[in-house]
Amino acid sequence: MQEEYAVQEYAVQEYSGKATMEKITSLAKRRGFVFQSSEIYGGQSGAWDYGPLGIELKNRIAAAWWKEMTRLHDNIVGLDSAILMHPRTWEASGHVENFTDPLVDCKKCKSRFRSDMIPEENLAAKKCPDCGGELTDIRKFNLMFKTNIGAAEDTASVIYLRPETAQGIYVNYKNIIQSNRMKIPFGIAQVGKAFRNEIVTKNFIFRTCEFEQLEMQYFVKPGTDEEWFNEWRKKRWAYYEKLGVKMDHLRWHQHGSDELAHYAKDAYDIQYLFPMGWRELEGVHNRTDYDLNRHTEYSGKDMQYIDQDNNNDRYIPYIIETSAGLTRNVLMILCDAYDEEQVAEKGNDDDFRTVLRFHPDLAPITVAILPLMKKDGLAELAQDIRTELKEDYSTDYDQAGAIGRRYRRQDEAGTPFCVTVDYQSKEDGTVTLRFRDSMEQVRIPRAELASRLHQEIKAYKRVK
Ligand code: ATP
């Protein structure tokens, strides 16, 4: 292990956080982050719907990644390619032939397993880990969703839902070079849906059939690929640190030769310690010139890069890929932010709080405006403050119930700041700004609110 990655040795080994998958799933539903798809029909496994707070959180995670990749890198541009692609794409990419999981079924209870995910003894004895019944032989199962395009349902009309966003980038790489005058090294970033007919979908939104990816493909000169691979590992590690993620809950996992995808020369996963254990969050892959060579072969088009600064040298670039799950990042951020603590000893039910310690850049609601009373013009004043803050911040307004309860509701939604408007506000134009993490309150002039929020967000450092 190289020195710059020694940081991972601090990784904790066992999960000791307050989150459990049950708590996260139930909070997500209760507060409108994530709902089961088609719940009124009993639910559709492998698919989830993002509610009002969930879509805000997901959008912000995507925006943070987009900013990091495109705005902060002069040589990375964006793309939004179609989900439906020419079926030859998937022959060229190797997905038709290789994108399979090994599958076994139980003849008795009909459960289906990925054979690489059940204990070896069960596999050797062909014994179902659930009921002890007999297991079938292992067979290969292609994870791509197949459908038909056009009126005729014959083999000529077969089309796939993309299992990764990357191929949309590869088939456009020449368009982007030409339209945007890109020079190697350069990258193309894309956020979008991907679909995989996963055999086992469990752990809430961790592994689903419909999900979203955050993928960036970086095109480099062959021979410089290892250097760029290391560089992107460093950058992706630093990115999570910047988001305020608990760094002792992250570690690297290098793919052994038995794990490497058919296209990869080297691959490292960033794993996160979820309540159910260490699991992949993102992969950094050296995909070599495999994809562009294959597209050259299958399309008949020349995919070589012409290096105009170097005597028009021609070569097929190598590709370094950073590939993260957006929806998996939503789960990670929910688990990472989740905390429970005792905040008083009055014997009341609001002595305890559940709090989501989101980075303010990711929090679905940045600031909640709470009038102490509805009457005497306090509600109007609070609404007026909200209107003023709306242009720059995502706001909420709550006038229902005791103030302590309202703070708890905002804590549970992960709102980093609350502004309380009381009688003094009417008299001297000051308001109370309350901080989610420390629960401290400061009185400041209303006129300073917007700039103070701006400063607090910029200076935010996670403490717990
Ligand atoms: P796994 O081994 O967990 O099936 P993978 O190695 O096939 O995943 P990649 O093909 O490298 O995953 O995909 C890149 C990223 O996309 C993963 O790190 C993960 O965050 C996300 N991802 C992949 N499959 C799913 C899925 N079924 N549901 C949600 N996110 C996924």
Side-chain angles (χ1 to χ4, degrees):
M1 182 60 54
Q2 294 167 25
E3 213 177 328
E4 67 255 42
Y5 307 121
V7 63
Q8 69 168 307
E9 287 171 13
Y10 299 110
V12 288
Q13 292 311 308
E14 295 251 325
Y15 185 76
S16 60
K18 304 268 173 54
T20 63
M21 289 311 285
E22 292 71 32
K23 285 180 188 172
I24 295 288
T25 313
S26 116
L27 175 105
K29 179 172 183 193
R30 191 170 70 248
R31 297 309 310 264
F33 283 94
V34 182
F35 307 119
Q36 201 182 11
S37 160
S38 330
E39 192 182 2
I40 61 166
Y41 292 104
Q44 174 55 52
S45 70
W48 297 85
D49 298 339
Y50 289 76
L53 292 186
I55 176 65
E56 291 290 342
L57 178 62
K58 179 153 73 70
N59 282 347
R60 272 156 226 260
I61 294 173
W65 181 85
W66 192 257
K67 174 182 165 190
E68 181 72 23
M69 289 305 191
T70 63
R71 211 196 303 168
L72 300 184
H73 288 93
D74 300 339
N75 63 347
I76 302 183
V77 291
L79 174 75
D80 183 20
S81 68
I83 288 171
L84 299 177
M85 298 181 69
H86 194 289
R88 289 281 280 169
T89 311
W90 305 109
E91 290 171 32
S93 68
H95 282 79
V96 170
E97 197 185 336
N98 293 316
F99 197 56
T100 55
D101 272 345
L103 171 84
V104 288
D105 286 307
C106 172
K107 291 182 182 168
K108 193 169 155 208
C109 71
K110 309 290 176 213
S111 292
R112 179 162 276 191
F113 306 96
R114 251 171 78 170
S115 62
D116 55 347
M117 287 189 167
I118 61 174
E120 295 224 343
E121 340 41 294
N122 289 74
L123 209 54
K126 289 185 128 187
K127 194 169 159 203
C128 173
D130 282 358
C131 77
E134 192 193 342
L135 293 176
T136 60
D137 289 336
I138 299 174
R139 57 185 197 283
K140 279 184 170 183
F141 173 75
N142 195 297
L143 297 181
M144 280 198 295
F145 277 103
K146 229 187 221 179
T147 184
N148 297 89
I149 193 159
E153 279 194 27
D154 54 23
T155 44
S157 70
V158 163
I159 196 157
Y160 300 97
L161 300 186
R162 67 179 178 199
E164 62 176 23
T165 64
Q167 298 300 327
I169 295 181
Y170 305 148
V171 300
N172 276 298
Y173 117 97
K174 280 247 147 170
N175 284 337
I176 289 179
I177 288 181
Q178 279 148 17
S179 60
N180 292 62
R181 295 181 295 125
M182 304 306 287
K183 288 191 172 173
I184 272 181
F186 74 92
I188 304 174
Q190 167 154 243
V191 178
K193 291 234 171 184
F195 301 83
R196 295 182 187 179
N197 198 356
E198 297 281 0
I199 298 164
V200 184
T201 54
K202 58 177 185 185
N203 290 320
F204 190 32
I205 54 173
F206 177 81
R207 183 182 302 285
T208 50
C209 291
E210 177 175 348
F211 58 101
E212 280 173 79
Q213 289 186 311
L214 305 161
E215 293 201 307
M216 194 283 301
Q217 311 295 323
Y218 204 71
F219 298 81
V220 306
K221 190 170 182 177
T224 64
D225 52 305
E226 289 179 17
E227 200 182 307
W228 280 113
F229 180 69
N230 285 334
E231 187 60 26
W232 276 105
R233 283 185 56 203
K234 267 194 264 177
K235 282 174 185 276
R236 294 308 299 152
W237 186 265
Y239 169 77
Y240 288 108
E241 194 158 24
K242 195 162 138 189
L243 279 193
V245 173
K246 289 177 187 151
M247 294 311 281
D248 61 359
H249 280 51
L250 288 176
R251 72 177 186 192
W252 287 105
H253 164 75
Q254 183 176 21
H255 285 207
S257 52
D258 53 333
E259 286 170 279
L260 275 181
H262 56 275
Y263 49 74
K265 171 172 162 188
D266 200 358
Y268 276 81
D269 293 337
I270 296 180
Q271 295 184 333
Y272 180 79
L273 184 54
F274 287 94
M276 67 277 188
W278 288 99
R279 296 284 191 284
E280 173 178 340
L281 179 66
E282 161 159 3
V284 182
H285 309 131
N286 182 344
R287 292 181 74 131
T288 69
D289 54 1
Y290 175 86
D291 297 277
L292 293 180
N293 271 331
R294 294 278 289 197
H295 285 304
T296 304
E297 190 187 322
Y298 279 72
S299 69
K301 300 284 185 305
D302 183 4
M303 303 293 267
Q304 288 183 100
Y305 173 75
I306 304 166
D307 188 348
Q308 289 167 345
D309 299 333
N310 270 312
N311 310 320
N312 288 339
D313 263 8
R314 287 164 181 261
Y315 57 84
I316 296 281
Y318 267 45
I319 293 171
I320 307 302
E321 164 183 75
T322 70
S323 174
L326 170 57
T327 42
R328 198 172 282 184
N329 258 274
V330 171
L331 180 61
M332 181 276 282
I333 292 290
L334 280 170
C335 295
D336 199 67
Y338 187 93
D339 200 6
E340 291 167 355
E341 64 180 0
Q342 180 162 11
V343 291
E345 287 183 47
K346 294 190 202 134
N348 298 333
D349 54 357
D350 62 3
D351 283 358
F352 294 88
R353 68 168 184 164
T354 298
V355 54
L356 293 178
R357 301 186 190 280
F358 293 135
H359 190 291
D361 285 338
L362 301 184
I365 304 162
T366 314
V367 51
I369 325 295
L370 317 172
L372 199 61
M373 300 283 178
K374 279 179 254 181
K375 52 185 188 179
D376 302 328
L378 294 188
E380 289 75 9
L381 180 55
Q383 287 287 12
D384 190 49
I385 294 175
R386 183 187 193 188
T387 306
E388 189 186 310
L389 294 176
K390 261 183 194 175
E391 272 296 334
D392 297 317
Y393 301 104
S394 135
T395 61
D396 190 19
Y397 173 85
D398 186 3
Q399 60 177 25
I403 192 75
R405 292 248 168 77
R406 281 185 268 165
Y407 286 147
R408 296 291 167 276
R409 276 203 290 270
Q410 294 299 334
D411 289 342
E412 205 187 39
T415 308
F417 309 105
C418 289
V419 171
T420 313
V421 178
D422 58 13
Y423 288 103
Q424 193 182 330
S425 312
K426 270 178 68 181
E427 280 161 25
D428 66 5
T430 60
V431 291
T432 305
L433 178 62
R434 180 223 186 228
F435 300 92
R436 175 197 64 203
D437 292 343
S438 62
M439 299 196 301
E440 263 173 45
Q441 303 191 5
V442 292
R443 219 167 169 109
I444 57 166
R446 171 191 170 170
E448 287 173 17
L449 202 48
S451 62
R452 178 70 185 264
L453 286 172
H454 180 75
Q455 278 167 21
E456 293 290 342
I457 294 170
K458 277 260 165 227
Y460 180 81
K461 278 263 173 315
R462 180 155 178 179
V463 277
K464 282 194 196 167

